[in-house]
Amino acid sequence: MSVFATLGTLLTTLADRLDPLFGASATAAAIVLFTLCVRAALHPLARAAARGEKARAALAPKIAELSRKHKNNPERLRRAMTDLQAKEGASPLAGCLPTLIQLPVFFVMYHVFSTGSGAGDLLDHTLAGAPLDGRWGGALAGQQGMVYLALFALIAAVATWTYVRNRKAAREAAAPAVPGAPGASGLARVLPLLSFGTLITAAVVPLAAALYLATSTTWTAVERALLLRGR
């Protein structure tokens, strides 16, 4: 059985269980439940990423000291910073793991509802009348349009909140730029804007995949707020 058929079977089973509660929107509810299960399974990685982020913020004074000590030796400064981050367990890549691991899951969801591969009768299901394999371009008016409007409003609200929080965190944890890396400060300003990439993605994928994105990004925002509170 292919991975697409496996996901289709799983969603169908969940939808059957949820049908008494959600009726015609049972498959949409199954997608939300499936997404929550995926994110719950990735929570240990998110906790590790949060610890790494806190560690990086705590290292700012030490990095400033290293910058002063090795200001005339950029190569030695880079080695010293790398050693310090490794010693303190503050790898900058740790925060990317939950997102990277989700990409195959999102791709499978997108493929199933874009091509119908392994979907069975899932393509016949809806969310408040909007087909799960449909896109917003074909549902600008009426009830279907309201479904997309509500979904985009949720994603935009989460993206805005995440952007503001990330900008604030970047200012608080700002460290002196490493000589020889002039783009570092610019990158720090651009990265928070990536939170709006989800809104653009949701506008071009099927409703089912957009629902997965909305659920996952909302989970991420709440999870980070709880894990990084009082930082």
Side-chain angles (χ1 to χ4, degrees), residues 52 55-67 70 76-92 175-176:
R56 288 193 298 275
L59 288 180
K62 295 182 180 180
I63 292 177
E65 178 61 29
L66 288 175
S67 297
H70 303 299
R76 189 171 181 182
L77 173 57
R78 280 192 287 269
R79 289 200 303 267
M81 289 178 61
T82 300
D83 293 342
L84 177 62
Q85 291 174 340
K87 179 181 177 182
E88 300 294 335
S91 170

Side-chain angles (χ1 to χ4, degrees), residues 40-229:
L42 295 177
H43 181 66
L45 290 178
R47 291 181 66 87
R51 287 195 297 269
E53 189 168 337
K54 289 181 178 180
R56 288 193 298 275
L59 288 180
K62 295 182 180 180
I63 292 177
E65 178 61 29
L66 288 175
S67 297
R68 289 191 293 269
K69 183 178 180 181
H70 303 299
K71 61 181 179 180
N72 296 322
N73 192 334
E75 183 59 32
R76 189 171 181 182
L77 173 57
R78 280 192 287 269
R79 289 200 303 267
M81 289 178 61
T82 300
D83 293 342
L84 177 62
Q85 291 174 340
K87 179 181 177 182
E88 300 294 335
S91 170
L93 297 178
C96 301
L97 286 178
T99 300
L100 292 177
I101 293 177
Q102 280 192 89
L103 289 179
V105 180
F106 173 75
F107 171 75
V108 173
M109 182 77 69
Y110 171 81
H111 185 84
V112 167
F113 284 92
S114 292
T115 67
S117 176
D121 64 347
L122 291 177
L123 300 186
D124 298 329
H125 292 216
T126 63
L127 172 60
L132 290 177
D133 64 334
R135 290 171 170 79
W136 72 277
L140 295 179
Q143 183 180 2
Q144 293 185 20
M146 293 302 296
V147 170
Y148 286 93
L149 180 62
L151 192 64
F152 292 161
L154 172 61
I155 294 175
V158 172
T160 301
W161 186 88
T162 301
Y163 170 76
V164 172
R165 185 179 180 87
N166 287 348
R167 283 295 300 271
K168 180 180 178 182
R171 288 194 300 268
E172 292 175 350
V178 179
S185 60
L187 184 62
R189 289 192 295 267
V190 171
L191 282 178
L193 291 171
L194 296 181
S195 57
F196 292 100
T198 304
L199 184 60
I200 298 173
T201 303
V204 299
V205 299
L207 176 59
L211 187 59
Y212 177 92
L213 284 175
T215 305
S216 183
T217 53
T218 302
W219 172 290
T220 298
V222 175
E223 184 178 58
R224 283 179 56 81
L226 294 175
L227 291 176
L228 297 176
R229 63 186 183 278

